[in-house]
Amino acid sequence: MPEELSFFDAVNQRRSVRIFDQQEPFDGNVVQQCLEAAILSPNSSNLQLYQFVRVPESSPLKDKLAQLCMGQKAATTARELVVVVTRRDLWKSRAKANYEYIAASYSGKPDKKLKQALGYYGKLIPKLYGKYPGWSLIKKLIAFSVGLKRPMVREVGETEVRISVHKSAALASMTFMLGMKAAGYDTCPMEGFDSKRVKKLLDLDPSAEICMIIGCGKGLPEGIYGKRFRVDSK
């Protein structure tokens, strides 16, 4: 088992490793542990509109999936691939779960705070995530009109909602990758893949979108392509 790291060591040592060791023992239980940590990540309105699909090296789909990642070594040498999928289509069930949780958790007389929370999931979220012909444009016009008089969230159109869902998935993905590094393993997030064929291979819901695919394993030194470069933070 690789040596575990502290948080700041994990952040400093995490790199996108593109070649993984094929001989080093790999504990798939760590992947599950890190995924459980990932779902604790902050996400928009606590709707948690994402899911993780694990494809270990023992799966008959692993080699096929790696080839759909353009055959890049970060995928072909990975001991496991984790596909991060956005599920905007689940907003109704997730909003309902939040609504019921809040209602069941509240004790005492109903007050303004409770009504606001229930109204958020019972009224506002359906307005934001609902899909009807022309609704995206109508939401933008409403935001524009309200914004003439007071501060108003402007990113309410269908494209902006989709981006918000991907943001939440990306936050969870980062937590997962830092967890893997803290546990002594390496990862590589990939955007180079044939999303249409990957969805078909994994039999994903038609409305699902792939945020990224993450290669996992114990990295080899040659899998790090050069020294880290970041622009000046000042």
Side-chain angles (χ1 to χ4, degrees):
M1 180 71 181
E3 181 182 355
E4 294 188 2
L5 302 174
S6 69
F7 173 76
F8 286 106
D9 285 337
V11 171
N12 288 325
Q13 295 182 31
R14 187 215 60 80
R15 297 291 303 274
S16 293
V17 177
R18 292 171 172 82
I19 303 177
F20 296 99
D21 194 328
Q22 300 295 291
Q23 307 302 322
E24 184 80 13
F26 181 74
D27 186 358
N29 292 324
V30 173
V31 175
Q32 185 60 37
Q33 182 182 12
C34 292
L35 289 176
E36 293 291 338
I39 65 175
L40 301 178
S41 303
N43 64 94
S44 183
S45 298
N46 198 36
L47 293 176
Q48 304 162 57
L49 297 175
Y50 50 76
Q51 66 185 86
F52 300 97
V53 179
R54 294 181 60 184
V55 184
E57 58 184 344
S58 59
S59 170
L61 300 180
K62 198 272 180 179
D63 289 341
K64 295 178 182 178
L65 178 57
Q67 290 308 312
L68 294 180
C69 293
M70 319 287 51
Q72 53 187 304
K73 290 182 179 179
T76 59
T77 66
R79 307 299 295 276
E80 180 162 340
L81 294 169
V82 174
V83 184
V84 184
V85 181
T86 63
R87 295 298 306 272
R88 183 200 184 288
D89 58 301
L90 297 178
W91 73 266
K92 286 185 180 180
S93 62
R94 301 295 168 82
K96 182 174 181 288
N98 275 281
Y99 185 99
E100 292 176 347
Y101 175 79
I102 293 170
S105 301
Y106 190 84
S107 59
K109 241 176 130 184
D111 58 12
K112 184 179 179 181
K113 186 175 181 181
L114 175 63
K115 290 179 181 178
Q116 287 178 337
L118 295 181
Y120 184 84
Y121 288 105
K123 296 179 180 180
L124 183 60
I125 290 297
K127 290 177 181 177
L128 182 61
Y129 281 85
K131 275 188 176 183
Y132 315 99
W135 182 233
S136 181
L137 177 59
I138 292 173
K139 287 190 294 182
K140 289 182 178 181
L141 291 174
I142 292 173
F144 174 78
S145 299
V146 174
L148 293 174
K149 300 178 181 179
R150 61 178 175 82
M152 176 63 185
V153 175
R154 313 291 175 137
E155 293 73 23
V156 296
E158 187 57 33
T159 297
E160 290 83 7
V161 171
R162 175 175 171 266
I163 290 172
S164 177
V165 173
H166 277 269
K167 285 179 183 178
S168 294
L171 285 169
S173 299
M174 191 70 252
T175 299
F176 169 72
M177 289 185 283
L178 286 175
M180 288 292 287
K181 189 59 193 178
Y185 287 114
D186 298 292
T187 55
C188 183
M190 293 172 277
E191 293 183 298
F193 50 81
D194 186 325
S195 59
K196 184 175 181 179
R197 286 185 168 87
V198 171
K199 286 178 66 173
K200 183 177 180 181
L201 177 69
L202 301 180
D203 194 26
L204 298 178
D205 188 275
S207 61
E209 294 183 352
I210 301 171
C211 180
M212 67 182 78
I213 299 177
I214 305 173
C216 308
K218 185 66 178 177
L220 291 172
E222 57 267 32
I224 297 177
Y225 295 171
K227 294 182 179 181
R228 174 185 277 137
F229 167 76
R230 293 291 187 271
V231 296
D232 195 339
S233 61
K234 297 181 181 178

